[in-house]
Structure formats: structure tokens, C-alpha cells
Amino acid sequence: MNVADPRSLLRAMFDAAIAAAQPALCVPRHLPTPPKGRLVVIGAGKASAAMARAVEDHWRGSLSGLVVTRYGYAVPCDRIEIVEAAHPVPDAAGEAAARRLLQRVQGLTQDDLVLCLISGGGSSLLPLALPGLTLDDKQALNRALLASGASISEMNCVRRHLSAIKGGRLAAACHPARVLNLLLSDVPGDDPSDIASGPTVADSTTCADALSILRRYAIDVPPRALALLESGAGETLKANDARLPDTETRFIATPQMALEAAAAVAREAGLEPYILGDAIEGEARDVAKTLAGIALQVARRRQPVPPPCVLLSGGETTVTVRGRGRGGRNVEFLLSLGIALNGEPAIHALAGDTDGIDGQEEIAGALLAPDSLARARALGLRPRERLDDNDGHGFFEALGDSVVTGPTLTNVNDFRAILISADNGRTDSASRSS
């Protein structure tokens, strides 16, 4: 079987992954029964405004609240205030919103319920630092973490221990009210403490862990930040902390759910989907080499599965920034994949971030075809040089192969699909020889 239009099929799978994680679909089934007292809605993340709208659309009782989302991701609400702030490098609007969130949950009682809507991006959108640190400190730290090659779990560990609102501190401020967390996961492994750095859940990591990460990646931080960590003053709330209220946490959408939606699209098109993992991490260019090796084995040897098929994966890779290009982890992955495949026939791929933003660009990701490198060289582009300069966006934009979705109002992390549409021209005997 040959797939007639692999680019359109890949895009349909990506769109299905995004659609499966839309708050309007995921939130209503998880709404609680009305409390005896007040319902207060709070939240942060790229999907938080859309989540808030879904609450309003399906909640018949009274409510009030405040959520903060990324610029451009606001959704009109009548009873819940929506504030926009900067991501991935925080700004004063996010700092002010974080203060207001803490104020909003003051004075609650045991009869009240706090509905907390958390999604990816919340770490940058709630940049309220511990006393002694400034917003400038937080901005500098975020930039350094983003460029270091640290995993999202490692970055969030550091952020939690220098925050006045993350690491369970927002939950403690809700005491003695009950808290129901509705989480839209964008992190490998779906660890609640890593989603927006866990403002309303307990944290098992320590200041010592945060210090170890800073040393591992040689990240410079202000002396006052080091002092907070070394003294233990930045310690987060643990599971046995008496300040933590009665808390329930529910995952309303996850990377695995998005991959399964994409797999359903593939089956409808007659392709067998194989989900390789929803929590793949590592340097983007190295992960690409590994997946290229698997794709080539499928195309050339029909192992471990025969084509036509699609290899799906999610998670969050990292990029250690050494160049000056317009990089993002998904286009870095895709450019490295293209170099490793080296024009292999019948293999197409798409990599993109389900929030519509790869790195700091308003571009979700890109498409790769067997002729991508040849077309690039015809334009005078040198793929390896672009990869060395972390310029994936510049590379694929020049080819006209960027994937632009606009604000998706959700975020279930990275999406990768490698479509192997047919045998690549080798004979059966050639495929069997090795």
C-alpha cells in the first residue's frame, strides 16, 4: 500500500492529538458536585483560560475566580477573571497575577472548594519569587535553564525551590478549604509536581536536589538564590505537611491520550500505528538519531514491523543551545532526523508542540519529506550547519514546511510521527540480507 498524501495524513494526526486534549471536551466530565460553601476557581497555564471557559459553560451554581494564561491564549469568561502574562520568560504581569492568586484564596473555610485548573506553562506564568529574590532574578534563571539542556523535571525542581507559590505553597494558602486539581499534563510521566511546578501539590524533591541540578549544568544564579537553597529556606511542602488541605488530583488530558487519538486517525487511513512512548526525553538531536535508526530498519528490513506504518511518540526533548538560530526542540529533532535519514524514500515525518509554540516561535513545528534535504541544498542551505546553529525554524521556514496552528488552547507536550508509507525500492532478497 502507498499513502497518497503523507503530509496531509501527518497533519490530520497532529490535529487529532490537539483536538483530543481540548478543555471543552475534557473538563466537563470532571467537574465536582457543588460544595456547601463557595466555589473558587484558580489556575495557570496555556490551557487555563479555555479550561475556565469550560467550567463556566457547565457550572450552574455561583462561582468566582482568577486564572493566568499566556499572551494570546485568553478566552472570554463572565465570572472568572482571565489575566495574560509572558511565557517562557516571565514578566511583571505574571508576578502580579501570582500575588493576586494567593490573595484570592485567603479566608476560605472547610465548606469552600477551590477548583484549580493547571496546565503546562504555569511555571513561567507564576513567577512570584521567595523574599530576597527579584523578578529579574527569575527571568535570568529561566533563560539559563532553557538554554542549559536540563530536562523539564530538572528545571521545575529548581523553580519550585525558589518560588513563593509553587511546590505546594498555593495549596497551603487555600487551607482549610478543599482543593480539586484538574491537570492537563505536558510533562513526561505525568508527575503532578512537574506540571506548572506543582503549585497545589506536595513535592518530594529537596533544596539539595535543586543545588545538584544547578551544579550539574553549571548554571549561574545570584548569591541570594544559592543562600536560600543552601540554608533550606527554599524547601517546598511535603506530603505530610499540616498546611496542605484536603486535596484531590485528576488528570483530564495527557500525552498518551493525544497519541491514541492520532493512532485512530492512522488506522482509519489503513496504517498500523505504533506508539513508541509518551515520555521520551533526551537531547532532541540524539533522540532523532535513535528514531531514525528504527525507521530505517522498518523501511529496509521490515523489522520490527512492516510498512506501511506510523511511529508515534511524545514526551519532551531538550536542546543545549550553542548556536544563535531560531531553534525549538521539535524542529531541532526534525532537522537531525532528516540528516540521519539522508533522503530515504517513503519516510515522512512531523514534529510539533501541541500548544502551537515550539521554543519561542509562534510556530508549532514542521514537516519532513524525503526530498527536504535536496530542496534545502538547492536553496543554498547546509543542513548540518543549520543544526549546529540551532536554527531548525529558519531551515524549515525557508522550505515552506513550517506547521503553524495558532494558539491551540491546550498543551499535552510534543508530538512526533514518522510515517513509513511503503518499501523503499529494495528487493525482498536485499531486505533479507544483512
Side-chain angles (χ1 to χ4, degrees), residues 337-395:
L337 182 75
I339 292 169
L341 293 175
N342 194 30
E344 184 75 14
I347 300 180
H348 295 73
L350 184 151
D353 198 317
T354 54
D355 65 6
I357 304 159
D358 189 31
Q360 300 189 43
E361 296 279 336
E362 302 290 331
I363 302 172
L367 286 152
L368 177 76
D371 66 348
S372 293
L373 265 61
R375 288 189 288 125
R377 292 180 180 117
L379 294 173
L381 302 176
R382 297 184 177 182
R384 290 187 185 278
E385 289 184 2
R386 290 301 181 104
L387 182 62
D388 289 342
D389 199 32
N390 303 118
D391 193 29
H393 279 306
F395 180 87

Side-chain angles (χ1 to χ4, degrees), residues 7 22 38 78 92 104 133 165 174 185 199 207 217 220 233 240 245 272 291 295 325 351 356 367 393 424:
R7 292 168 64 93
Q22 285 301 310
R38 294 168 287 176
D78 297 323
R104 185 64 71 113
L133 298 178
I165 193 170
C174 297
S185 175
C207 286
Y217 294 97
D220 291 328
N240 61 354
E272 191 62 35
L291 294 191
L367 286 152
H393 279 306
N424 66 357

